């Protein structure tokens, strides 16, 4: 009787596991300085959350940021392009996933200007700055996409 229950439980477990939906890997390109450790930490955060980013190391990121529509006031240390959108700085992967799921047509991407402590890749003990993730359009207009404390 115990063996039958064990086999039944195992069969149910295998069936549930086999039919569970596996989230697809989200691919993109990340432009970063070869000298920036926090950028590499952000890439690790993204990988841990289902993203696969090709890293392109550049000495001067300014031309890439300009080309991708990042205004200076929203600039940070790295810039990613995923599914045709631009993602600037230490944005949490969950915010990017939500943005990609909604695919806002008038927005060009998301940005976290500067390098706020406690944001992905900028973890340092319990130090955490409050910061906002901004959605921006091609004219530089923004709206708050998410707030983090």
């Amino acid at each position: 009787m115990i063996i039958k229950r064990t086999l039944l439980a195992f069969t149910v477990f295998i069936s549930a596991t086999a039919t569970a939906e596996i989230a697809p890997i989200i691919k993109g390109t990340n432009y970063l300085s070869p000298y920036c450790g926090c950028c590499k930490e952000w890439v690790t955060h993204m990988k841990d959350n289902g993203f696969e980013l090709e890293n392109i190391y550049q000495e001067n990121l300014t031309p890439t940021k300009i080309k991708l529509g990042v205004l200076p006031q929203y600039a940070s240390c790295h810039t990613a392009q995923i599914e045709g959108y631009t993602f600037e700085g230490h944005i949490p992967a969950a915010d990017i996933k939500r943005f990609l799921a909604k695919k806002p047509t008038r927005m060009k991407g998301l940005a976290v200007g500067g390098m706020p402590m406690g944001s992905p890749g900028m973890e340092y003990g319990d130090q955490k700055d409050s910061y906002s993730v901004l959605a921006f359009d091609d004219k530089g207009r923004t709206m708050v996409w998410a707030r983090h404390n």
Side-chain angles (χ1 to χ4, degrees):
M1 187 65 152
I2 293 174
I3 293 174
K4 284 183 181 179
R5 283 190 204 149
T6 304
L7 285 173
L8 179 61
F10 182 72
T11 303
V12 169
F13 173 77
I14 293 298
S15 295
T17 305
T19 59
E21 191 173 316
I22 297 172
I25 293 173
I26 302 167
K27 295 186 178 193
T29 304
N30 187 45
Y31 302 91
L32 65 161
S33 165
Y35 313 110
C36 186
C38 67
C39 294
K40 293 171 186 149
E41 292 297 321
W42 181 78
V43 170
T44 299
H45 163 77
M46 295 296 284
K47 183 178 181 182
D48 291 346
N49 285 280
F51 288 82
E52 183 180 306
L53 299 176
E54 174 190 2
N55 290 308
I56 297 178
Y57 296 96
Q58 298 176 329
E59 295 285 330
N60 181 5
L61 291 164
T62 301
T64 299
K65 292 178 187 302
I66 291 169
K67 177 183 166 194
L68 296 177
V70 178
L71 294 176
Q73 61 267 36
Y74 309 123
S76 184
C77 53
H78 57 269
T79 307
Q81 193 165 40
I82 304 167
E83 295 185 11
Y85 293 102
T86 300
F87 299 97
E88 178 68 13
H90 294 268
I91 305 164
D95 293 339
I96 294 175
K97 283 182 176 180
R98 185 167 61 94
F99 187 91
L100 292 172
K102 291 189 182 275
K103 297 194 183 322
T105 55
R106 74 173 232 268
M107 292 301 177
K108 192 170 185 85
L110 297 176
V112 171
M115 300 164 72
M117 292 302 273
S119 61
M122 291 297 299
E123 295 91 351
Y124 188 73
D126 343 348
Q127 293 183 19
K128 291 188 183 213
D129 296 335
S130 294
Y131 66 96
S132 294
V133 176
L134 302 177
F136 63 94
D137 68 12
D138 60 353
K139 293 182 173 47
R141 294 177 295 209
T142 64
M143 64 174 271
V144 175
W145 185 258
R147 295 181 200 278
H148 298 277
N149 295 332

